[in-house]
Each structure stands twice: as C-alpha cells, then as structure tokens.
Amino acid sequence: MNTFGEIIGQITAAPSIIIHRHVNPDPDALGSQLGLASSIRSTYPEKKVFVAGEGVGDLDWIGTMDQVADQDYQNALVIVVDTANRPRISDQRFNKGKTLIKIDHHPNVDPYGDYTYVDTSASSCSEIIADLINAAGTKLQMTTTVAQNLYTGIVGDTGRFLHPSTTVHTLNIAAQLISYNFNPNAINLKMGELTLSQAQLQGYVYEKLQVDPSGAAQVVITQSQLHALGLTAEDAHVAVSTPGRLKGVQSWLIAVEQPAGNYRIHLRSQGPTINDLAAKHRGGGHPLASGAKAADLAEVQKIYTELITLQKQFN
C-alpha cells in the first residue's frame, strides 16, 4: 500500500485531476469525492478538477457532478474514492487517465490502481480524506466547504455515529470538522428526513419482515409495492437499516426487486460477519454492511438460508 505522502505528491504534480466514486452513491461516496475535489480546487486554483459519475438523485443537496469530456482524461490523474472493485465505479472511463489512485475503506478485494490507499479500520472514506488533508499540511487546504462535505460523509457511513465503525479517531475528526462555519445539526436532520411514501415503505418492511428464531430476518420489496408508493428501487435505501431497530433481530437482508426482475440485496449485521456471504453472490462490502445480487427469488431464499446459518454459528 502507498503512503499519504506519495498520493499528495501525485496530486501536487498533476495539472488535471478527475475524481470518481461508486454507482448508486451514498453520502460517504459523495462527501469524500466532493470534499477532496474542493480541497484541491482551493489549494490549486490553476488545476482542472472534475467530479465524475452519474446523477446523484435525492442526494443532490450534497452536491452534483461535472460534465467530463473524453479529452479531459488525457494526461489526467484519476482518483477513485469509496469503491472496492472496478465494476462498481461510476463512469467506466476511470482507466483512461495517465495515473490511477484508489482510496477506500472497504476490504481490498480488487487492488486496482497505480497507487492504493485502503484503511479498513476507518469509519468512512471521508474520514480517510480528512486524514489525507491533515497529513498534507499546506499542500491541501481544509475549508468550510471541505469540512461540510467530509462531515456529511462520516455521518452517513456511521449512521449518525451509531454504527460500531465509529471510533475515538472518528469523533476527533468530526470535532475538527464542526469547528468550521457550517451547521452540522442541519446535516444530521437531513440524514433522517423522510417523505411520507418513504415512511410508508418502512412500515411495509415492519409488516412483511420474516424473522427466524436465530435472529436473522429478511424482507422482499417488490416493484409493485414500490410503484404503489410512487418510489423507485433506488428509494428503497431509506429502509435498509429499519429491521435493526427491532429487538431480537441481529442480521438481516432486504431484497429489492429491480425493473428487470432481478434483486439487489442489502445485507446488514449487528453480529455475524456477512461480507463473505455477499461475495458469494456477486457482491461485497464491509463485515457488517454489504451488498449482493440475486437473479431471482430462489437465489434470494438461498442467501437468506445462508444468513441464518451464519447467525446460528455466531450465536
């Protein structure tokens, strides 16, 4: 693995920098991407700095993407944040630049890039970017905008500091960030904001949740249910943490039917390690928060059966 010093050296030398993140971005993907871009722009106004990827949906309150032309990749430094493997990188032109850097906090299952910095002990990629900026001294600036972006990412990936990934270092970084002139309370409230339809989806999850005596649980969210509520498959993210509030539920999966009829699997745990299970089904992620794919309901049931086995072994 490379050092912060080597990565900072590449940033200072590059005349053009393009920053990517993963598809279906969450607050950490956007916070780390936009925070790093803003820091570089503030420190080096002469550099061309772009943020690349598809639209961000209802997270546009965090920030939006740039229009990046093919020619912008010529001799560019490309940095990919918060993305464990290449297929999940938003905008597959990421490999068209001169040099590629990977910065991430997921297990390094796909060690791509000319330079790599992966810290699985970090709560979020935004925490890593804050460490990178702090290590850079005058070579990267921390500004109010940068601090707001990184705080948003940390809050998102720690579940407002509820998840076990929150460490003393995480809280120290958060304390540093909120010393800048933005309103952290507004971000915390925005993270918990729901539309009526999204709240009704959470109610549907409670109503339909199947709970095994072991403590594993599952629910399937169908396209018809999403349509009835006026929601898309992407909107289902608001219900991913819902089962974890129930006493007796320690691990769970939420299977969200996609328009093509396959399923996106959200796996969460408060006990057994689940990222190996996700990897068996074309996915991956953190030990306690992962994603996978299922071709049909039969595969969904197979994943649930395997989750029950993991939960029983953990018990």
Side-chain angles (χ1 to χ4, degrees):
M1 188 173 73
N2 298 102
T3 65
F4 279 157
E6 290 172 308
I7 292 172
I8 293 163
Q10 290 296 312
I11 290 172
T12 57
S16 178
I17 300 171
I18 304 172
I19 306 174
H20 289 243
R21 39 76 185 167
H22 60 73
V23 296
N24 302 314
D26 56 11
D28 185 36
L30 295 175
S32 56
Q33 180 189 34
L34 293 164
L36 179 58
S38 183
S39 178
I40 297 170
R41 287 168 178 156
S42 297
T43 313
Y44 306 99
E46 74 282 3
K47 293 184 186 293
K48 294 181 179 179
V49 182
F50 304 93
V51 287
E54 85 281 2
V56 301
D58 60 1
L59 293 179
D60 57 0
W61 60 274
I62 301 175
T64 56
M65 299 294 101
D66 297 319
Q67 294 294 322
V68 186
D70 289 347
Q71 58 265 31
D72 292 325
Y73 286 87
Q74 186 173 359
N75 295 319
L77 169 64
V78 178
I79 303 174
V80 180
V81 297
D82 198 37
T83 313
N85 49 60
R86 281 168 280 192
R88 293 203 70 228
I89 300 173
S90 182
D91 193 330
Q92 285 289 301
R93 294 177 296 171
F94 71 90
N95 58 357
K96 301 296 184 183
K98 179 181 179 182
T99 306
L100 178 63
I101 296 176
K102 174 186 182 180
I103 302 176
D104 193 22
H105 69 125
H106 299 90
N108 196 23
V109 295
D110 182 6
Y112 61 85
D114 303 299
Y115 295 82
T116 302
Y117 188 93
V118 175
D119 181 2
T120 57
S121 69
S123 70
S124 55
C125 196
S126 294
E127 182 179 313
I128 295 174
I129 298 302
D131 287 336
L132 174 68
I133 293 170
N134 287 337
T138 59
K139 294 181 179 178
L140 284 174
Q141 294 181 3
M142 182 70 76
T143 67
T144 296
T145 299
V146 175
Q148 178 171 316
N149 285 329
L150 298 181
Y151 180 81
T152 300
I154 292 172
V155 169
D157 252 28
T158 61
R160 289 179 285 181
F161 307 107
L162 290 175
H163 298 336
S165 59
T166 304
T167 65
V168 171
H169 183 66
T170 305
L171 295 176
N172 284 335
I173 290 294
Q176 173 198 355
L177 297 176
I178 65 174
S179 70
Y180 288 81
N181 188 29
F182 68 93
N183 186 352
N185 293 332
I187 294 171
N188 295 337
L189 291 171
K190 191 71 177 178
M191 289 289 184
E193 186 178 76
L194 295 173
T195 65
L196 177 59
S197 292
Q198 289 171 332
Q200 290 170 332
L201 180 62
Q202 291 190 340
Y204 174 85
V205 168
Y206 285 132
E207 179 185 356
K208 300 296 183 181
L209 192 70
Q210 299 175 338
V211 182
D212 184 79
S214 65
Q218 77 158 344
V219 67
V220 176
I221 300 176
T222 64
Q223 276 286 302
S224 61
Q225 183 60 37
L226 290 170
H227 290 155
L229 293 172
L231 299 173
T232 67
E234 287 73 27
D235 294 324
H237 69 86
V238 300
V240 170
S241 298
T242 299
R245 299 170 188 157
L246 297 175
K247 184 177 181 179
V249 173
Q250 199 168 37
S251 61
W252 63 96
L253 74 81
I254 293 183
V256 183
E257 186 180 12
Q258 304 298 296
N262 58 317
Y263 293 83
R264 183 180 179 188
I265 307 296
H266 301 271
L267 284 163
R268 296 294 185 269
S269 174
Q270 296 169 349
T273 298
I274 54 175
N275 55 318
D276 288 341
L277 171 58
K280 288 172 59 179
H281 296 273
R282 303 178 299 285
H286 300 288
L288 301 181
S290 294
K293 297 176 182 178
D296 49 32
L297 282 173
E299 187 173 3
V300 172
Q301 188 58 44
K302 178 175 173 57
I303 297 171
Y304 183 44
T305 300
E306 292 169 344
L307 180 62
I308 292 172
T309 299
L310 286 177
Q311 185 64 58
K312 288 179 176 178
Q313 291 170 348
F314 180 82
N315 293 343

